[in-house]
Amino acid sequence: MDKDEAQELITKYIENQCSPEEKALIERWYLKEAAAQQLPQSQTDFSDEKHEIWDGTLKKAGLKQKNYNPGMVWMASAAAILIFLSIGFFFFRVEEPQVQVAVTQAPDVTPGTNKAVLTLADGSKIVLDHAGEGVLARQGNIVINKGAEGQLVYDASNSSLNTDRAAVSYNTISTPRGGQYHVILPDGSKVWLNSASSINFPTAFNSDERNVTITGEAYFEVAPNATKRFNVKANGTNVQVLGTHFNVMAYADESSVKTTLLEGSVKVSLGKAVNVIKPGEQAESIAGRINISNANLEEAVAWKNGYFYFKDTDIKTVMRQIARWYDVDVQYKGEIPGTVFSGKMYKNVNASKVLEILSYFKVNFRIEEPSTPSGRKTIVIL
């Protein structure tokens, strides 16, 4: 929930216009946190001094100061503080009645970070998150740099490889589960890799086409070049562009490959099936077909922008995203909840924060330590 959405929800609460779902969410969340934050847990806990603090907070938040329901002022005022100071709070809409479930105390899991491994043409590897800023390697006249913000940059500005086709070699950048990375290709195209993803590409684009291959998920901002088409190959699907912004999701454990276009125009092909999509559309490659639909652009690139975004998403799809980002395994015991979720939450919080939200909606869990020193923690859905 962003500031405007939080302001709107608190205003509705103060003016007694919340739906039962919204009202229950604010009250349940606030009462849970009140003790830890040393906030008043009832109207009688307010001193005159505390009233002044809460009133000042509401004014700074731009909330209306009239038509208050006196019985709600204390909670809404304190909730305003929590919403604007807490990281990661967001609102879930669910398709089933809400039932609060006790959260099992368990070990926590920290979020993913910027990390990846660069595999050079000779097979040597460079762990990018451990490498310092500056020149990492040279391949012919190509200089590979790590930028000040951690991104990998291929500098071909002084290269003579434009006419030397034989000198081209291939590199691969791979992110682990719990990692993501940003790379600038030799032609200036920018690529962001999601967790458990990879991109294979030449150190110089000397042919008539710029060809790369990905696994997992990647967001592209392709440098325009009218004479050299840019092709992305992903799990049997080919995406062809000249210069554009788009996202390709092609994880092996997902049922289809999804190409979402933000700018420009791309041609998507799968075998004999070919379709051209426009900005705001998504092409889904599945079972030899390409299905075109209107896209939720925020949902498609939320991972790149630092948060989870769910829109009528089932629990297994939610947990696949969580498993990749937190590098955990997931097990299901008993009946799988039929709840679907809609909402968003920042990814820079520990796994327990995400799971705590899920626990409000008939999803209970526990986190188990790995059975071997080299194993992963496991989230068990009960």
Side-chain angles (χ1 to χ4, degrees), residues 141-250:
N141 291 327
I142 302 295
V143 180
I144 306 173
N145 294 285
K146 184 177 181 180
E149 297 180 358
Q151 76 276 24
L152 196 67
V153 182
Y154 278 71
D155 184 0
S157 57
N158 297 318
S159 176
S160 62
L161 292 181
N162 288 330
T163 58
D164 185 3
R165 295 173 184 256
V168 176
S169 56
Y170 282 80
N171 287 181
T172 300
I173 298 174
S174 305
T175 57
R177 295 185 4 155
Q180 60 183 24
Y181 215 77
H182 176 201
V183 58
I184 301 177
L185 299 178
D187 66 336
S189 295
K190 299 176 181 179
V191 184
W192 286 259
L193 290 176
N194 202 351
S195 301
S197 303
S198 70
I199 181 169
N200 179 264
F201 56 94
T203 55
F205 293 108
N206 296 336
S207 67
D208 295 334
E209 295 187 342
R210 297 172 284 172
N211 297 316
V212 304
T213 301
I214 71 161
T215 64
E217 185 167 21
Y219 174 81
F220 291 84
E221 294 183 356
V222 175
N225 187 331
T227 64
K228 292 187 177 184
R229 293 177 299 186
F230 192 100
N231 296 303
V232 179
K233 297 180 181 179
N235 198 17
T237 294
N238 186 72
V239 181
Q240 185 182 97
V241 305
L242 293 177
T244 187
H245 297 183
F246 61 100
N247 190 81
V248 179
M249 191 276 286

Side-chain angles (χ1 to χ4, degrees), residues 9 12-13 16-29 72 75 91-94 96-99 361:
L9 183 57
K12 288 172 64 178
Y13 187 93
N16 200 21
Q17 296 179 358
C18 277
S19 68
E21 182 181 73
E22 293 168 333
K23 182 174 181 291
L25 181 63
I26 288 183
E27 292 179 355
R28 181 169 59 245
W29 174 65
M72 294 183 175
M75 186 179 291
F91 176 71
F92 262 131
R93 178 176 63 80
V94 295
E96 293 186 355
Q98 299 175 20
V99 176
F361 307 105

